[in-house]
Amino acid sequence: MEVIVAENIGFCFGVKKAIDAVYEQVQTGGNIYTYGAITHNEEVVKDLEKKGVRVIESSKELAQIKEGTVIIRAHGVSKDIYEQIRSQNLKCVDATCPFVKRIHDIVEKESATGRQIIVVGNAGHPEVEGTMGWCRTPAIVIESLEEAREFSYQGDKELFLVAQTTYNYNKFQDIVEIFEQKGYNVSVVNTICNATEVRQTEARSIAAKVDMMIVIGGNHSSNTRKLYEICMQECENTYFIQTLDDLHLELPESVRLVGITAGASTPNNIIVEGTVIDVKPDEMVLNIGYKSDGILTRNEYTNEPNVDLTTVAKPGDTMEVKVLKVNDGEGQVLLTYKRLAADRGNK
């Protein structure tokens, strides 16, 4: 069996920025809060809770805080939440994704000119709710092709369309086409994050040629669910799991090629068991079931600079390693052993 792992997996830029901001604040001590879960990944949220970070979900909960630091999650929040934090004299760390912040700036400006803002996205999603909170006048949310077809606007305002950053790119284009066919006076700004588009395109490509597809991500992650929907369109044997530990499948012999992708809120920590096929003093080569063999260098095996790897492993040995990079530019898979050991608390 061969495995294809998408190159564009792991935390996206915005999510990583937000998570790093929380861990930095933890080091400073004091009361740390995030407005909403910092990311839709339960494993990350649980780890932060262990470090004393508390999640608040509403302005009412925010009002109960007397002192401390409030971190705005990557999804962003409405304008009135910023004002409330300021009025309560709390420290605010704004970890809103820059691509989300751009949408806030756009809708605030365009709604002020009298345009009717339409947000193409998932109603009730934190990013969409936050975006609506920056509009000067009430915004309209369109979630599906069906809603776009049924939409009827009787007002005289020019319509202005933006999209949730993680929305399905192809579906957004279809919705835009529907609005144009209806003859509305409409302006469109594609605010889907480029990383989302790239991730979705790659997932679709992989799913189209594999026997089974695995999508990894948090149960509440909107972008991961969209990846799952896209993969299901190409491969009916698509499975949505939160971690690789959740995968308990007895694969039939007919499954020769498996694809793996992950949402933007998923840590890039795929762990595999490999068999050593070649060892040199400064690196070893492992068969990990991918199309390419994995390379484990001395630097990624241990922090000891002079260890001869031929003294610690031989062909035929098996070991668990973490995938660092699927493609290092030369078609090789880079592995690490020491980082996996550190994660597990080993010396």
Side-chain angles (χ1 to χ4, degrees), residues 268-271 321-324 334-336 339-340 343:
N268 185 0
N269 59 356
I270 294 176
I271 299 170
V321 289
K322 179 187 288 188
V323 176
L324 276 182
L334 299 185
L335 309 173
T336 182
R339 301 189 201 194
L340 176 59
D343 290 345

Side-chain angles (χ1 to χ4, degrees), residues 2 12 36 42 119 121 153 178 194 203 206 224 234 249 255 257 273 299 313 317:
E2 292 185 349
C12 69
E42 294 178 17
V119 182
Y153 182 65
I178 290 171
N194 180 63
I206 294 174
T224 306
E234 305 294 337
L249 297 175
V255 175
L257 189 59
E273 183 174 80
N299 288 340
D317 288 351

Side-chain angles (χ1 to χ4, degrees), residues 186-240:
V186 58
S187 297
V188 179
V189 176
N190 177 9
T191 50
I192 295 175
C193 172
N194 180 63
T196 296
E197 183 181 342
V198 170
R199 196 179 298 246
Q200 291 177 355
T201 300
E202 183 185 28
R204 187 185 300 277
S205 175
I206 294 174
K209 58 189 175 186
V210 298
D211 303 309
M212 186 180 80
M213 192 72 186
I214 300 170
V215 181
I216 308 172
N219 290 330
H220 303 294
S221 170
S222 175
N223 73 84
T224 306
R225 289 202 170 277
K226 291 182 178 66
L227 284 177
Y228 174 72
E229 293 171 3
I230 289 169
C231 292
M232 274 292 292
Q233 293 172 1
E234 305 294 337
C235 177
E236 62 180 13
N237 293 322
T238 297
Y239 297 87
F240 188 157

